[in-house]
Amino acid sequence: MSSDNNRNIGLSDIIRMLENNVTFTQAADSVLECITDSMDICDAVVMQIDRESDTMHVISETGNCFKDESGTVKRSEFVLCSDAIKITYEGNADTAQKGLLDRLGVKLSITVPILINNVKAMYLIVLSNDVQAVSDNKIKEYISDMALVLHGIAQSKVINNSLISSYDVLQKILDNIGSGIIVCSRYSGNILFENEMAANVQEVRDTIRECLEDVFTCEDVHRNIGASMERYNTESGLWFEVRFSELEWIDGSEVIVVTAVDITQKKKNQQKIEYQAHNDFLTGLYNRMKCEVDLRKVIRRTEKAGLKGAVLFIDLDDFKHINDGLGHQYGDILLQQIAAGLTGIPGLRGHCYRMGGDEFVIIVEPEIFGDLNNIIGNITALFNKPWYLMETEYFCTMSMGVAVFPDNSVDVHEITRMADVAMYEAKRSGKNGYTYYSSKVENSTAKRLDIENNMRQAVSTGIDEFVVFYQPVVDVNTQMCTSCEALVRWDSKALGFMGPGEFIPLAEYLGLITSIGDYVLEEACRRCKLWNDNGYPDFYINVNLSVVQLLQKNVVENIKRILDKTGVNPKNIVLEITESFAINDMQRVMDIITGLKKLGPRIALDDFGTGYSSLNYIKQLPLDIIKVDKTFIDDIVEDDYAQAFIKLIVDLSKTIGTKIVVEGVEHKEQFELLKSLGVDYIQGYYFGKPVPANIFEEKNLEGRLGE
Ligand code: C2E
Ligand code: CA
Ligand code: CA
């Protein structure tokens, strides 16, 4: 009875002990102690099976029965094939066991396997001399209870251990996962767990915390659960995708898991794609698509705020011909330089767009609208300077149209069209300038479209609507008409009579100038030959060549073809080139001029004084004649500077062997003055306006024809 009592006390001690955090060995020691206290035991042991080495280790033991003179007995001998409790005593032992029992001097052995996770892991072995115990079921029960206790302890330790170790593994995985993870309480926001990255990598830590703050300060926290947000960390320059999800935590509480993944690369790729969709690959400016998107936004914003903004539409003058003539690589560099120049103007960075080809658009936002005049001034100034391409100076001017929103329109397409229309008006009124959109401009656009259609038709159906007028050029000293200039007019059946100012720019723009120019040259050559053959062998005719014509690849052959076809003496033809051609790539200009001169004609530089060329520059060109522009003559009588300029040109022309023609002379005083300054030739209303060939003949050659 007393031993029963002992057993119960022992058990409750053990159970109490289990509540404390004891090691398994401590628990096994107590169990064995309890067993030896409650029965006549000579030895008890808890052994662990080591499957790898196929041996057993002692975890805890009492008594010394296992020790014989020869040393430690192989305890495994007791546990052979013991699947359940095995009781071995003299009565049931096999020979081998009997020998062992004898050797140890014990009467009874009880072996109980302890399973962990359903696998035999340990044995509790009890040896006793109390043979009575064999028939005492209580003892058997007691021993197996004890084994169960050990099993319980071991199993709970294993579960704990594996939890701890799986938690460790998990932590390691989470630390190496490459994103930041934070677990926080659903309600308080208190952080319950954070991985290495979330704890120690500054930008991840900051980003997550910022997002958490946002989420917890917003009213409906729920809305953000399952959502993800993209955050940019300015300090590191990295992008993160931060996600929120809900989870039941180990302790059953509701938590929020926040993960922050570095998406910088993805973002960069995205930006690259977006960049490609919205940017012009050549110039790096935004493209037409982006222009539309931005303009829509800006107009809406401007209208709302009751402010104003503007669209500037820029088209380069004669770019196509520079491009075709110099090669695309030069054209491309020029476009890049222009793009850089535009974005360099204060207030324009980020507001310049390349619409395609040589067209640019600038959106003037309401914030800088007050500065519109300055901006226009800056753009104009940009194009009044040469561009440098491969160490050569090029002039490339532009024409610009300005449309104001909301005044002109609030529709993206309409306002762009209006700026375009105004741009064309600027082109029409002489290029290298700008025009504001107005109803007048709109009307002239309607007219322009009309002209455009009619001109195409006129050019394609025989070109005879175009007529050539001739204006006398007079030798200052003899006051004889020694030559004339061929000037084209368009006598349109549909639109009436037009001067070249009204249709030449459009003809250049539409690429029709070459057909018209060829026609004028051919007419002039025929006329010249006729006059040469009829008493004026030295009379010559000046013919204008447009820059567009001159930059045509086959310009020299084309002119040769016309000269040959008409049979004119090429020496009696003067080809007039303008400064705007002469200031292109020097080498190219030289090549063309020398090519033309080889055919026989002389070369005149037209409109001198209106452009950019310096005297130094002029000196390098093989020119025969310089034609000084009318603007220098208008005030020549009063203007000392203009007089000095003419004198300078006259002197220069003597040293380089060119003749001077002064255009636009309308009054006697002008003529007298120019004569005194040593000018060679005069062209102007004073001596005669441009007139049709027959009238010219009558006025200037009649009576002398056939002399
Ligand atoms: P431009 O080559 O400078 O021709 C001289 C212009 O000045 C002519 O105008 C002529 O009528 C005008 N003019 C001459 N003397 C006087 C004067 O005393 N007072 C005033 N107010 N004007 C005078 P037009 O015929 O209207 O031609 C204008 C421009 O059109 C020409 O300027 C030339 O650049 C261009 N053009 C004319 N015909 C042709 C052509 O066949 N081909 C090309 N490419 N351009 C042409
Ligand atoms: Ca001319
Ligand atoms: Ca001229």
Side-chain angles (χ1 to χ4, degrees):
M1 221 29 224
S2 78
S3 60
D4 272 1
N5 257 344
N6 277 350
R7 283 169 207 162
N8 282 337
I9 293 164
L11 256 181
S12 51
D13 278 352
I14 288 166
I15 288 165
R16 202 169 308 120
M17 186 185 66
L18 288 182
E19 284 164 9
N20 300 320
N21 216 1
V22 293
T23 64
F24 183 76
T25 314
Q26 283 170 330
D29 287 347
S30 309
V31 167
L32 293 191
E33 200 180 318
C34 200
I35 294 172
T36 39
D37 278 359
S38 56
M39 61 186 281
D40 182 9
I41 291 291
C42 47
D43 205 312
V45 65
V46 177
M47 286 197 293
Q48 187 183 23
I49 304 164
D50 183 339
R51 292 193 187 280
E52 267 174 54
S53 60
D54 202 21
T55 55
M56 312 245 282
H57 306 290
V58 174
I59 292 175
S60 175
E61 61 181 329
T62 63
N64 54 10
C65 287
F66 286 102
K67 312 249 168 54
D68 63 359
E69 317 81 54
S70 63
T72 310
V73 169
K74 273 192 194 160
R75 288 169 169 112
S76 56
E77 288 176 69
F78 287 99
V79 295
L80 292 170
C81 339
S82 39
D83 285 330
I85 295 179
K86 184 175 181 181
I87 299 173
T88 313
Y89 54 95
E90 284 176 320
N92 77 346
D94 62 25
T95 345
Q97 286 169 333
K98 229 179 224 156
L100 186 66
L101 291 180
D102 280 350
R103 196 143 44 83
L104 295 172
V106 293
K107 300 267 179 284
L108 164 75
S109 83
I110 303 172
T111 310
V112 188
I114 299 169
L115 307 183
I116 289 175
N117 293 340
N118 294 323
V119 176
K120 253 181 271 168
M122 287 178 281
Y123 290 99
L124 168 63
I125 303 164
V126 177
L127 304 180
S128 173
N129 287 320
D130 183 358
V131 192
Q132 288 288 303
V134 176
S135 54
D136 186 347
N137 278 333
K138 269 191 185 152
I139 286 187
K140 271 187 271 172
E141 265 170 43
Y142 176 65
I143 300 291
S144 68
D145 279 351
M146 283 307 184
L148 272 179
V149 167
L150 282 176
H151 166 258
I153 298 168
Q155 186 71 53
S156 81
K157 290 281 172 202
V158 166
I159 288 171
N160 262 341
N161 276 336
S162 61
L163 246 187
I164 287 165
S165 63
S166 45
Y167 192 83
D168 277 352
V169 169
L170 196 64
Q171 172 98 35
K172 275 201 188 94
I173 291 171
L174 293 180
D175 282 347
N176 288 297
I177 207 156
S179 17
I181 299 173
I182 276 186
V183 177
C184 67
S185 154
R186 164 83 172 70
Y187 299 101
S188 65
N190 287 342
I191 290 173
L192 304 171
F193 168 84
E194 55 189 341
N195 74 346
E196 164 85 22
M197 230 181 160
N200 300 329
V201 179
Q202 184 77 30
E203 57 268 17
V204 180
R205 191 186 156 86
D206 291 352
T207 306
I208 294 186
R209 266 153 229 257
E210 258 169 44
C211 291
L212 264 178
E213 217 175 283
D214 286 2
V215 167
F216 276 95
T217 46
C218 107
E219 286 202 344
D220 187 6
V221 180
H222 251 296
R223 257 209 349 237
N224 294 304
I225 306 299
S228 72
M229 42 178 99
E230 287 183 353
R231 283 289 170 119
Y232 181 68
N233 183 270
T234 356
E235 269 124 73
S236 61
L238 296 177
W239 277 94
F240 291 96
E241 185 183 66
V242 183
R243 275 181 185 281
F244 293 84
S245 47
E246 255 176 334
L247 197 83
E248 192 177 298
W249 193 232
I250 313 165
D251 60 3
S253 65
E254 278 178 55
V255 295
I256 293 174
V257 181
V258 191
T259 54
V261 183
D262 182 343
I263 52 159
T264 312
Q265 198 49 47
K266 178 178 138 196
K267 207 74 193 164
K268 274 187 184 156
N269 292 342
Q270 235 173 34
Q271 281 167 345
K272 205 166 137 193
I273 291 168
E274 216 165 281
Y275 181 89
Q276 281 164 351
H278 278 161
N279 284 260
D280 170 49
F281 149 82
L282 178 67
T283 60
L285 294 183
Y286 292 132
N287 62 13
R288 179 186 289 272
M289 201 166 109
K290 175 85 166 141
C291 179
E292 250 175 56
V293 174
D294 288 358
L295 188 55
R296 188 161 291 124
K297 280 191 211 148
V298 174
I299 291 179
R300 202 176 302 146
R301 182 163 64 81
T302 309
E303 221 188 346
K304 247 191 197 161
L307 299 169
K308 286 182 188 200
V311 177
L312 313 184
F313 198 108
I314 294 175
D315 185 286
L316 306 182
D317 299 329
D318 307 321
F319 173 77
K320 187 181 176 312
H321 311 289
I322 292 177
N323 200 37
D324 290 352
L326 293 186
H328 291 277
Q329 66 275 36
Y330 280 81
D332 286 354
I333 295 170
L334 181 60
L335 288 173
Q336 285 165 346
Q337 286 190 13
I338 289 171
L342 288 174
T343 44
I345 293 173
L348 299 195
R349 183 167 298 280
H351 304 292
C352 302
Y353 306 80
R354 180 169 172 232
M355 305 300 270
D358 59 346
E359 291 177 349
F360 298 86
V361 159
I362 290 163
I363 300 178
V364 178
E365 302 222 354
E367 291 73 24
I368 55 167
F369 183 75
D371 217 20
L372 182 60
N373 285 339
N374 274 338
I375 292 172
I376 291 175
N378 285 334
I379 296 172
T380 314
L382 182 70
F383 286 92
N384 282 337
K385 285 183 301 205
W387 306 97
Y388 291 92
L389 297 178
M390 317 299 261
E391 291 163 18
T392 310
E393 283 188 359
Y394 291 82
F395 280 87
C396 177
T397 59
M398 60 88 210
S399 301
M400 175 164 61
V402 185
V404 176
F405 51 82
D407 297 15
N408 295 146
S409 172
V410 290
D411 180 84
V412 171
H413 296 280
E414 187 60 3
I415 196 93
T416 314
R417 185 195 67 85
M418 287 167 161
D420 185 7
V421 160
M423 178 281 293
Y424 182 75
E425 187 61 22
K427 241 184 225 290
R428 212 179 64 94
S429 33
K431 302 179 180 173
N432 194 20
Y434 64 94
T435 306
Y436 277 86
Y437 176 82
S438 69
S439 54
K440 214 179 113 209
V441 167
E442 187 67 66
N443 289 339
S444 78
T445 304
K447 196 174 161 205
R448 161 195 151 194
L449 289 175
D450 219 17
I451 296 179
E452 195 174 312
N453 290 332
N454 274 289
M455 192 173 356
R456 285 189 197 281
Q457 211 163 0
V459 167
S460 62
T461 57
I463 220 157
D464 47 5
E465 282 189 2
F466 296 92
V467 283
V468 182
F469 278 32
Y470 299 89
Q471 184 183 27
V473 178
V474 172
D475 183 325
V476 170
N477 296 315
T478 63
Q479 292 202 37
M480 295 277 281
C481 171
T482 50
S483 69
C484 64
E485 177 171 4
L487 295 158
V488 71
R489 271 90 184 102
W490 181 16
D491 193 5
S492 162
K493 278 187 206 78
L495 304 165
F497 191 84
M498 273 178 273
E502 277 181 273
F503 65 89
I504 294 262
L506 182 58
E508 288 180 332
Y509 188 68
L510 298 176
L512 296 173
I513 189 66
T514 314
S515 307
I516 298 172
D518 286 355
Y519 168 78
V520 173
L521 179 63
E522 194 173 324
E523 275 293 299
C525 289
R526 283 191 205 289
R527 190 62 60 184
C528 191
K529 179 167 165 54
L530 183 76
W531 289 334
N532 290 159
D533 291 350
N534 288 282
Y536 300 93
D538 299 325
F539 193 85
Y540 59 93
I541 297 186
N542 293 11
V543 181
N544 294 288
L545 293 180
S546 149
V547 182
V548 176
Q549 267 174 290
L550 283 159
L551 290 173
Q552 221 90 52
K553 278 203 185 76
N554 56 352
V555 58
V556 176
E557 297 96 272
N558 194 35
I559 287 175
K560 180 177 181 342
R561 181 181 56 82
I562 295 168
L563 294 172
D564 291 350
K565 183 176 167 190
T566 57
V568 72
N569 177 1
K571 297 232 163 352
N572 287 340
I573 294 296
V574 175
L575 299 174
E576 295 194 2
I577 62 170
T578 55
E579 259 192 318
S580 51
F581 165 66
I583 54 177
N584 273 286
D585 170 23
M586 185 54 143
Q587 192 50 52
R588 185 139 186 265
V589 169
M590 280 295 214
D591 289 350
I592 294 171
I593 293 180
T594 35
L596 291 175
K597 280 187 71 128
K598 269 197 199 132
L599 303 176
R602 282 169 290 169
I603 303 292
L605 181 70
D606 202 358
D607 301 340
F608 181 66
T610 56
Y612 323 90
S613 51
S614 65
L615 295 175
N616 264 342
Y617 191 87
I618 296 301
K619 272 198 260 181
Q620 301 177 49
L621 296 173
L623 298 170
D624 301 286
I625 296 163
I626 292 172
K627 297 186 79 173
V628 180
D629 193 73
K630 181 175 180 298
T631 50
F632 269 93
I633 308 315
D634 288 342
D635 303 321
I636 184 103
V637 180
E638 305 91 50
D639 189 342
D640 293 345
Y641 172 75
Q643 289 178 23
F645 177 77
I646 299 290
K647 187 88 193 75
L648 188 72
I649 299 296
V650 169
D651 291 346
L652 173 78
S653 69
K654 290 215 171 85
T655 60
I656 61 175
T658 57
K659 296 287 178 203
I660 294 288
V661 178
V662 172
E663 288 185 296
V665 178
E666 294 181 347
H667 312 292
K668 193 171 183 342
E669 303 85 70
Q670 290 172 327
F671 167 71
E672 299 290 352
L673 181 66
L674 291 166
K675 187 178 173 182
S676 74
L677 289 173
V679 169
D680 306 295
Y681 299 96
I682 298 275
Q683 180 182 347
Y685 292 177
Y686 181 61
F687 287 110
K689 290 189 175 182
V691 286
N694 57 332
I695 301 180
F696 182 87
E697 252 176 47
E698 257 171 50
K699 286 176 82 174
N700 301 289
L701 308 170
E702 196 71 0
R704 280 177 281 164
L705 265 182
E707 252 174 38

